[in-house]
Amino acid sequence: MSSIIDGKKIAKEIETELTAKVGAMESAPRLSVVQIGDDPASASYIKAKANTASRVGIALTHHHLPVDTSVKELENLVDNLNESEDGLIIQLPIPKALEPVLERIKPENDVDGFHSENLGKLVQGISGMVPCTPAGIIELLYRSGNAPEGKHVVVVGRSTIVGTPLSLLLSQKGVDATVTLCHSRTKSLHEHCKKADILVAAVGKANMITKDMVKPGAVIIDVGVNRTSEGLVGDVSHDVRDVASQITPVPGGVGPMTVVMLMSNTVKSALEN
Ligand code: NDP
């Protein structure tokens, strides 16, 4: 039976470190979160961010705009917040027509790490804003005694916010994992997964990783968040606990790490800019 990697507890440790850092700063770091429309999941993510920010001592402002906000209106708001804030995020999803405005966020204020300049820096191994979920997974691995060096890590899912940046972080010099990146067109997914020392599931399909896909003793990071009739579940089936050595729960694994890494990026931006 596998043991749990407690993301909530590890996120709390990081929160305590950040609170001390912020306490020593002359003024509170400023973070603005822009929400467009009324997506219920977005509302609950923003609430979690606001609660964590308040505990850390970050001044978070929530800007809630209607779904019919124009490109020009959003551009104006972003331009203003680029000047006044240390960190600025636009909570996804947003209407397709507004997506180009994401690139208008100043890269040094882009605490979500989604701007093409920050992703480019990640490819080149240059310091920049790293996307929060991949950064949180790296912290989770180190702080749970699972340094990725020399390990074979299989990442399932290649999105630009999770799988792809995570595969880049893991293969950077100094982290030194050997990475296999799988996606919906991967042939023999079972065989790839079965070779993983560390298996990361970032797909968004409930219970798609099953026991027969996991090497005995592997470490499992379950990124998936799926709302089902049984409540919130990850991408990893419960029976995987029979063979894995350690596993992150859903909820309480990667989720809290994502939120605390957003705070970490905001503090970094406030200290550097
Ligand atoms: P996307 O939908 O953007 O990407 C999903 C990826 O999974 C794609 O690369 C897709 O492949 C791949 N995929 C789909 N079906 C299969 C399959 N059958 N076999 C192998 N690969 C497959 O999702 P995100 O990356 O944004 O999110 C993934 C999950 O993580 C979601 O449940 C999301 O809610 C959750 N999440 C959780 C966070 C947290 O903090 N806990 C933060 C961010 C996301 P292809 O590219 O070929 O289409």
Side-chain angles (χ1 to χ4, degrees):
M1 195 69 178
S2 57
S3 62
I4 294 293
I5 300 176
D6 190 343
K8 237 174 158 173
K9 182 163 162 252
I10 295 173
K12 271 277 171 214
E13 282 168 24
I14 299 172
E15 197 182 298
T16 305
E17 293 162 17
L18 289 173
T19 308
K21 257 192 205 173
V22 170
M25 290 167 75
E26 276 178 15
S27 57
R30 297 183 55 83
L31 169 64
S32 265
V33 179
V34 178
Q35 180 186 7
I36 299 151
D38 292 301
D39 178 57
S42 289
S44 83
Y45 292 140
I46 293 170
K47 198 168 163 209
K49 288 168 188 175
N51 289 340
T52 310
S54 133
R55 290 196 299 270
V56 170
I58 290 173
L60 182 147
T61 311
H62 178 193
H63 307 261
H64 195 171
L65 308 182
V67 74
D68 59 357
T69 298
S70 70
V71 168
K72 194 77 212 140
E73 283 165 332
L74 184 59
E75 282 178 349
N76 288 341
L77 179 63
V78 167
D79 289 350
N80 288 333
L81 297 176
N82 269 336
E83 298 314 313
S84 64
E85 306 300 282
D86 298 301
L88 166 57
I89 68 167
I90 300 178
Q91 184 70 43
L92 300 179
I94 58 173
K96 200 108 198 109
L98 297 177
E99 282 178 3
V101 185
L102 292 169
E103 282 291 281
R104 206 169 173 105
I105 297 174
K106 264 205 292 200
E108 57 270 38
N109 287 5
D110 166 43
V111 285
D112 257 342
F114 296 161
H115 194 283
S116 56
E117 189 172 316
N118 283 316
L119 290 173
K121 283 183 173 168
L122 191 54
V123 173
Q124 293 179 310
I126 300 170
S127 166
M129 285 295 170
V130 175
C132 301
T133 302
I137 292 169
I138 298 285
E139 282 289 332
L140 207 53
L141 288 172
Y142 280 110
R143 290 180 188 241
S144 61
N146 294 297
E149 184 188 348
K151 305 264 171 62
H152 181 197
V153 185
V154 175
V155 179
V156 189
R158 60 175 164 183
S159 74
T160 48
I161 64 168
V162 187
T164 294
L166 177 62
S167 71
L168 291 167
L169 278 175
L170 285 164
S171 34
Q172 269 181 355
K173 270 197 195 306
V175 183
D176 299 323
T178 301
V179 181
T180 301
L181 183 57
C182 300
H183 45 78
S184 68
R185 311 297 296 269
T186 297
K187 290 199 175 116
S188 313
L189 183 67
H190 273 66
E191 274 92 284
H192 288 294
C193 291
K194 191 106 197 177
K195 290 185 187 139
D197 301 312
I198 299 172
L199 177 60
V200 182
V203 175
K205 288 200 169 130
N207 304 320
M208 75 159 289
I209 303 291
T210 47
K211 185 177 169 174
D212 56 311
M213 297 166 81
V214 174
K215 179 163 85 174
V219 172
I220 313 292
I221 306 294
D222 190 355
V223 186
V225 177
N226 306 293
R227 287 161 216 278
T228 70
S229 54
E230 285 133 53
L232 216 60
V233 301
D235 289 345
V236 177
S237 150
H238 202 78
D239 63 1
V240 167
R241 292 176 185 224
D242 298 343
V243 283
S245 63
Q246 296 177 60
I247 188 164
T248 60
V250 178
V254 174
M257 295 300 294
T258 298
V259 178
V260 85
M261 294 320 288
L262 176 68
M263 304 305 144
S264 174
N265 278 349
T266 304
V267 172
K268 175 177 146 91
S269 170
L271 289 170
E272 289 177 0
N273 301 310

